[in-house]
């Protein structure tokens, strides 16, 4: 039974490990899904922020482009005549700080300062230019050191003439250069090789902390790029994981509980036994019993072996107690009887050759055993003698004496297996009126070594002889044990000294090797292989 308890413990541990694995997998999967989802969400939010910033700057610059043709018509006209018009344009556009007219490389009129006479190249080194230019520039005239965003449109007939518009960079910064922490630490605007970040001064290099990453998006309309400086979508997703831990733990516990309930039947030995029966994984074996006088085989005890494809070979002292504990022993016995009947031709076709089955006490209740024997055994009309062996480890309650009488009426012999090891041996003798007592192997092994058990063996033998009950000794392994038992009147022996358990299919060859395909005859009649009384 200790082996059975170890098997149960093994299954319980396996079940716990599976539930822990489910919980851990759920925890990791949930955190991984949340990490990937948060990372994707961060990526999406960065994309939205960059698109939004580019769109704002585009909206600022598009009206300037629309007014380009109208303003270029003013180039060359006297400043007194166009200054008011320039001021009205600045007021109308709102996003502009000033508009300046340039003629032949000289800035001669400004919406803010009026008449001017400044060489444009001395103020902005990149101008004049024969193509439109967007420039980041540091103001050295009105508010020194302030950044400016300049838009230059050249005149069609004179590359040195054109319109220079200064965008209100302070307004622009408040619209698109505000950071959105923790996702965005800072936003910068890049035009050519110059950068503007958070309305600071114009720089030739973009300052990026070593731990941050840059996400850039360029405008499709104008030559500028918006840069989002962020800790990184992966880093931000990792930072968010602790907040996802409670949800992940709840899901883990929930799925672990579901796994525990789901494996209640499948992760148990009862499921294994049922699966083994359904898949015919159990093999029916037998062990011969010999008469000590003429060494003839009087019959066999049917045994069961289980080579479990999932767990490997499982010994009977493990699965039999577990089958009894899970109320599957009757089901297992039906399997044994049906498999034995299916291979009945391996036994000698003689009424004195007996076939013994182990039957649990619970199988006697409500006549279930008799119904099963009628269905599986007697329906096949076997010639062999049937012996029902009842193990003493079961408690036999409220015996139906009518069932016992009916079993005897049908010619079935009753045997008490492992006699002497239980707590109710003598009460069984009264209740069952058995035909056979099988002396447990522990008493057989004690012969010549253990004075106490040897004495008990002698008492059992004397009891069986006094009650005229056939005695069978189990576990005979030495010649000394065999001689002692034979000397004391035990003439049916079973053990490794004569034969080890074997598959049913091997029995005919074993009988042939021992020159016994049929029972020996005496005076023309077959000799009884199990003594009669």
């Amino acid at each position: 039974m200790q082996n059975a308890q170890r098997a149960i413990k093994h299954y319980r541990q396996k079940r716990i490990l599976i539930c822990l694995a489910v919980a851990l997998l759920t925890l990791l999967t949930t955190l991984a899904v949340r990490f990937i989802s948060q990372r994707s969400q961060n990526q999406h939010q960065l994309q939205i922020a960059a698109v939004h910033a580019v769109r704002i700057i585009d909206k600022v610059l598009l009206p300037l482009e629309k007014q380009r043709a109208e303003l270029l018509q003013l180039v060359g006209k006297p400043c007194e005549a166009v200054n008011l018009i320039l001021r009205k344009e600045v007021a109308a556009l709102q996003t502009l700080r000033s508009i300046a007219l340039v003629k032949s490389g000289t800035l001669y009129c400004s919406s803010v300062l009026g008449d001017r006479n400044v060489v444009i190249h001395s103020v902005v080194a990149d101008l004049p230019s024969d193509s439109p230019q967007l420039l980041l520039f540091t103001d050295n005239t009105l508010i020194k050191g302030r950044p400016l965003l300049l838009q230059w449109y050249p005149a069609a007939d004179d590359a040195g003439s054109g319109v220079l518009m200064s965008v209100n960079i302070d307004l622009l910064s408040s619209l698109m250069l505000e950071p959105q922490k923790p996702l965005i630490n800072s936003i910068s605007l890049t035009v050519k090789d110059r950068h503007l970040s958070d309305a600071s001064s114009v720089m030739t290099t973009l300052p990026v902390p070593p731990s941050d990453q840059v996400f850039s998006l360029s405008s499709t309309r104008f030559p500028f790029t918006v840069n989002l400086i962020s800790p990184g979508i992966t880093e931000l997703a990792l930072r968010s994981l602790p907040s996802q831990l409670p949800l992940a733990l709840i899901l883990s516990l929930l799925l672990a509980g579901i796994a525990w309930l789901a494996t209640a039947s499948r992760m148990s030995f009862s499921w294994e036994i049922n699966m083994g029966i359904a898949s015919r994984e159990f093999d029916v074996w037998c062990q011969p019993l010999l008469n000590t006088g003429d060494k003839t085989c009087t019959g066999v005890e049917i045994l069961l072996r289980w080579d479990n494809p999932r767990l490997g070979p499982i010994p009977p002292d493990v699965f039999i107690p577990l089958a009894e504990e899970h109320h599957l022993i009757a089901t297992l016995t039906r399997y044994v009887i049906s498999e034995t009947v299916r291979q009945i031709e391996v036994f000698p076709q003689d009424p004195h050759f007996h076939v013994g089955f182990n039957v649990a006490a619970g199988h006697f209740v409500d006549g279930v055993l008799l119904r099963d024997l009628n269905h599986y055994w007697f329906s096949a009309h076997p010639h062999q003698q049937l012996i029902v062996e009842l193990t003493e480890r079961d408690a036999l309650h409220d015996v139906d004496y009518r069932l016992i009488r009916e079993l005897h009426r049908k010619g079935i012999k009753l045997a008490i297996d492992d006699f002497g090891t239980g707590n109710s041996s003598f009460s069984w003798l009264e209740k069952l009126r058995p035909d056979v007592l099988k002396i447990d192997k522990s008493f057989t092994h004690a012969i010549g070594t253990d004075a106490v058990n040897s004495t008990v063996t002698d008492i059992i033998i004397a009891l069986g002889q006094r009650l005229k009950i056939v005695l069978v000794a189990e576990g005979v392994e030495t010649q000394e044990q065999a001689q002692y038992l034979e000397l004391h009147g035990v003439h049916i022996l079973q053990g490794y000294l004569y034969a080890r358990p074997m598959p049913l299919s091997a029995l005919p060859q074993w009988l042939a090797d021992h020159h016994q395909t049929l029972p020996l005859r005496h005076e023309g009649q077959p000799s009884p292989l199990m003594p009669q009384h």
Side-chain angles (χ1 to χ4, degrees), residues 255-274:
L255 289 184
I258 293 174
W260 180 262
L261 296 176
T263 56
S265 60
R266 190 172 181 86
M267 290 304 299
S268 67
F269 219 90
S270 60
W271 180 87
E272 283 288 351
I273 293 175
N274 283 318

Side-chain angles (χ1 to χ4, degrees), residues 266-334:
R266 190 172 181 86
M267 290 304 299
S268 67
F269 219 90
S270 60
W271 180 87
E272 283 288 351
I273 293 175
N274 283 318
M275 176 63 71
I277 293 173
S279 304
R280 306 179 72 88
E281 296 168 2
F282 291 94
D283 294 321
V284 178
W285 286 33
C286 66
Q287 187 174 25
L289 284 72
L290 273 71
N291 187 304
T292 57
D294 52 20
K295 298 300 185 292
T296 57
C297 179
T298 65
V300 294
E301 178 184 359
I302 299 300
L303 307 171
L304 200 58
R305 296 294 182 264
W306 189 10
D307 189 5
N308 188 309
R310 296 167 295 281
L311 303 174
I314 301 177
D317 63 345
V318 172
F319 70 80
I320 294 296
L322 288 172
E324 293 171 346
E325 183 176 332
H326 290 88
H327 308 290
L328 291 172
I329 193 64
T331 303
L332 208 54
T333 302
R334 294 186 194 101

Side-chain angles (χ1 to χ4, degrees), residues 513-527:
D513 292 342
H514 289 74
H515 308 291
Q516 184 187 336
T517 57
L518 292 173
L520 297 178
R521 296 175 178 271
H522 295 274
E523 299 180 356
Q525 297 298 325
S527 62

Side-chain angles (χ1 to χ4, degrees), residues 451-523:
V452 174
N453 280 338
S454 293
T455 302
V456 174
T457 304
D458 294 340
I459 293 173
I460 294 173
I461 293 172
L463 177 65
Q465 292 171 343
R466 182 68 178 269
L467 297 176
K468 296 182 180 180
I469 299 175
V470 176
L471 294 168
V472 177
E474 299 179 300
V476 180
E477 296 182 359
T478 67
Q479 194 65 44
E480 179 188 2
Q481 294 168 354
Q483 291 174 353
Y484 181 91
L485 292 165
E486 183 179 2
L487 181 64
H488 285 75
V490 180
H491 300 294
I492 306 297
L493 306 181
Q494 175 184 357
Y496 288 176
L497 179 63
Y498 304 107
R500 289 181 174 271
M502 65 188 74
L504 288 188
S505 58
L507 181 63
Q509 184 61 49
W510 184 88
L511 292 172
D513 292 342
H514 289 74
H515 308 291
Q516 184 187 336
T517 57
L518 292 173
L520 297 178
R521 296 175 178 271
H522 295 274
E523 299 180 356

Side-chain angles (χ1 to χ4, degrees), residues 178-199:
E178 285 294 328
Q180 302 174 20
K181 295 185 177 181
L183 181 63
I184 303 172
N185 289 333
S186 64
I187 305 177
S188 65
L189 174 67
T190 298
V191 179
K192 290 188 176 180
D193 57 350
R194 296 189 178 186
H195 313 278
L196 175 66
S197 176
D198 299 333

